[in-house]
Amino acid sequence: MTRFSAWNVFWNGLTSQKGWSRQWRDPEPKSHYDVVVIGGGLHGLATAHYLAKNHGIRNVAVLEKGWIGGGNAGRNTTIVRSNYAQPGNREFYEDSLKLWENLSFDLNYNVMFSQRSHISLLHSPGAVDAAARNYNTMRRTGAPDAEIWSLEQLKQAVPHLNYGPNARFPIMGAALQKRAGTARHDAVVWGYARSADQMGVDIIQNCEVTSITRDAEKVTALETSRGTITTSKVGLAVAGNTSRLWAMAGLGRLPIESHKLQAFVSEPLKPLLDQVVVFGVGGAHFYISQSDKGGMVFGGDLDWYKSYAQKGNLPIVQDVSEAAMSVLPCLGRVRLLRHWSGVVDMSMDGTHFICKTPVDNLYLNAGWNYGGFKATPASGTYFADLIANDRPHPVIANHDLKRFERGLQIDERGAGPDPKLHG
Amino acid sequence: MIRIPCPFCGIRDHSEFTYGGDGSITYPALDAPLQEWHDAVFQRENICGVQTETWHHVNGCRMWILVDRDTMTHEIHAVRPAHPDLAKALESSS
């Protein structure tokens, strides 16, 4: 594989671009691997990358039933931030943001991480107080870029929001994280795949796991659409379909429901919005940024009912459009280019699981709710660490399935045990 | 749009309803062991296929109903009132 460098770009410019090799191999599955990661999305590929890079475990396969990056990795709104306040999540997402900052160098692949800042609009004194509490927590725990902005500061930075007297929810100020931003989701998939492959990981596409064979303690083999694979350890990273694989392993129920989340992109526009802007008040929820290609990328709430279908429904299109018009009325004549839907694991407290399971050599990475994209580097790092060392890192000690039995919920929104409310 | 045949109002758009959740859960007795309550509150079968769920016809008759719906195709197989006595009354009157 050819390394990306200024010299190689220059040299291939002179030699008709014939010096590049393919980004990753297309291997036949071997009969045995030290670790098999099920799920070739961002988290599965990142896990494989860090297993090889941090732990020297290179006899690894990533099994993907479709093509890599074809699921939620390609269906998100690419927002990266670390404005979480609950113990455990705070450290986890801060670590993730730090890894994002160096990811292009780590992968030798430009993931186009753009730290353009993330602005949460605040519409009531209560919202300002709650944000001040959370963002002060961030400042005290390694995120000095957390700020509370007055209305005047906000008007200077984003002059075209709806500040008019007729706004349904007048804006009072904003909470800002400066190091937050967006990244190119496909590039992240390809960068992790290329890097993992280079270190010896087999990325096996069109390979669906059809059954999991196990005895009382261990998974012994995986039946797949491309043959039987035996393995010493199995990592599940199949958010959206976790419950189906869990049932396949004969493990019963999980604190997870599958819901669908829609996202949208408009036709490309000239530069209009230089930040990620988030609007959330009452029942409305809306987040928007502008891609490097110029499209306005935005989304809103879940479709509210449980679903495994990767197709959205129209009432949410209307909700999101209404929210868009109430925040950025200048979008009124902009045409929608595409909209799509992904199936997400909504957990009972809105927080993820990276943990051991009742089966000795089966490890779980699931329950990412709305927020899997930003978590990718830390998720891969800590999941690889868990698989390699067979014990959870202290940062994810409480991100296990047993936390509800201990009376612990890591509930950022305080919404209680109703998965659809953790958006 | 999903079209839900409400037993009281007839076929209506799902936007008239709010989704409740898993309708197959039976909550244990108040003094049941903690584990049973944990399982009822936190554990979900999360079926890919036909599941029973609760919907509230909040912008209609305001009744809670049980809907057998396929979570992959969104096809609705059966609808009945959530309150068992109402379901019985409807059956006897028809």
Side-chain angles (χ1 to χ4, degrees), chain A residues 3-5 49-50 53 98-113 115 191-192 194-195 198:
Chain A
R3 218 181 134 69
F4 291 121
S5 65
H49 165 82
Y50 293 112
K53 178 170 175 265
K98 292 201 172 84
L99 288 164
W100 274 109
E101 288 177 327
N102 200 39
L103 195 59
S104 291
F105 298 100
D106 183 14
L107 299 178
N108 180 234
Y109 205 96
N110 184 6
V111 299
M112 296 164 77
F113 181 45
Q115 294 179 288
Y192 272 119
R194 175 174 170 270
S195 172
Q198 191 185 8

Side-chain angles (χ1 to χ4, degrees), chain A residues 243 254 306-308 313 420, chain B residues 1 20 44 46 69 71 74:
Chain A
S243 297
L254 278 174
K306 224 200 81 176
S307 176
Y308 279 94
N313 218 323
K420 66 179 181 293
Chain B
M1 191 75 76
R44 292 289 179 272
N46 199 16
R69 186 181 63 99
T71 56
H74 300 166

Side-chain angles (χ1 to χ4, degrees), chain A residues 65-224:
Chain A
K65 77 173 171 183
W67 64 95
I68 58 167
N72 292 344
R75 293 165 191 268
N76 55 76
T77 47
T78 75
I79 297 168
V80 176
R81 57 185 170 86
S82 74
N83 56 348
Y84 287 71
Q86 294 294 312
N89 281 357
R90 182 77 265 286
E91 300 89 322
F92 181 86
Y93 286 104
E94 195 56 42
D95 285 357
S96 201
L97 186 53
K98 292 201 172 84
L99 288 164
W100 274 109
E101 288 177 327
N102 200 39
L103 195 59
S104 291
F105 298 100
D106 183 14
L107 299 178
N108 180 234
Y109 205 96
N110 184 6
V111 299
M112 296 164 77
F113 181 45
S114 160
Q115 294 179 288
R116 58 183 67 180
S117 76
H118 174 278
I119 297 175
S120 298
L121 304 179
L122 306 171
H123 302 267
S124 68
V128 174
D129 288 350
R133 178 180 180 276
N134 279 1
Y135 279 59
N136 273 322
T137 303
M138 289 164 65
R139 291 183 74 91
R140 302 280 297 182
T141 51
D145 59 326
E147 294 179 8
I148 301 292
W149 274 7
S150 67
L151 188 57
E152 285 64 38
Q153 283 171 293
L154 181 64
K155 278 181 176 171
Q156 270 190 347
V158 199
H160 43 300
L161 296 174
N162 185 3
Y163 300 106
N166 296 326
R168 174 70 183 80
F169 297 102
I171 301 169
M172 293 188 69
L176 178 94
Q177 186 174 26
K178 280 188 170 169
R179 289 178 305 150
T182 61
R184 170 93 201 279
H185 54 93
D186 290 329
V188 186
V189 172
W190 299 332
Y192 272 119
R194 175 174 170 270
S195 172
D197 177 84
Q198 191 185 8
M199 291 185 283
V201 172
D202 281 359
I203 295 162
I204 301 163
Q205 304 183 76
N206 299 310
C207 181
E208 182 174 3
V209 173
T210 51
S211 77
I212 297 173
T213 314
R214 70 175 178 96
D215 56 29
E217 284 112 33
K218 281 177 178 293
V219 172
T220 49
L222 300 169
E223 299 299 329
T224 77

Side-chain angles (χ1 to χ4, degrees), chain A residues 251-384:
Chain A
L251 289 165
R253 301 189 295 170
L254 278 174
I256 287 174
E257 282 186 6
S258 297
H259 285 257
K260 63 191 157 80
L261 178 61
Q262 301 189 49
F264 308 80
V265 64
S266 78
E267 60 188 326
L269 307 175
K270 287 187 176 180
L272 172 69
L273 191 61
D274 197 26
Q275 300 88 358
V276 179
V277 173
V278 180
F279 163 68
V281 60
H285 189 193
F286 178 69
Y287 36 93
I288 187 164
S289 65
Q290 188 167 22
S291 78
D292 292 334
K293 209 160 63 178
M296 305 304 294
V297 181
F298 54 97
D301 272 315
L302 293 173
D303 272 29
W304 296 124
Y305 53 85
K306 224 200 81 176
S307 176
Y308 279 94
Q310 288 176 313
K311 59 182 179 189
N313 218 323
L314 291 173
I316 292 295
V317 178
Q318 186 172 357
D319 284 359
V320 170
S321 307
E322 284 170 357
M325 287 303 292
S326 74
V327 180
L328 278 163
C330 59
L331 294 179
R333 296 287 168 194
V334 173
R335 283 165 296 188
L336 201 59
L337 191 65
R338 286 191 298 277
H339 104 276
W340 61 91
S341 163
V343 179
V344 292
D345 278 1
M346 297 302 293
S347 73
M348 283 292 164
D349 58 357
T351 295
H352 53 275
F353 306 100
I354 301 178
C355 59
K356 298 180 70 168
T357 70
V359 180
D360 283 349
N361 63 345
L362 180 67
Y363 303 87
L364 181 68
N365 176 321
W368 290 99
N369 297 277
Y370 269 56
F373 182 75
K374 71 178 91 66
T376 300
S379 169
T381 301
Y382 288 115
F383 196 40

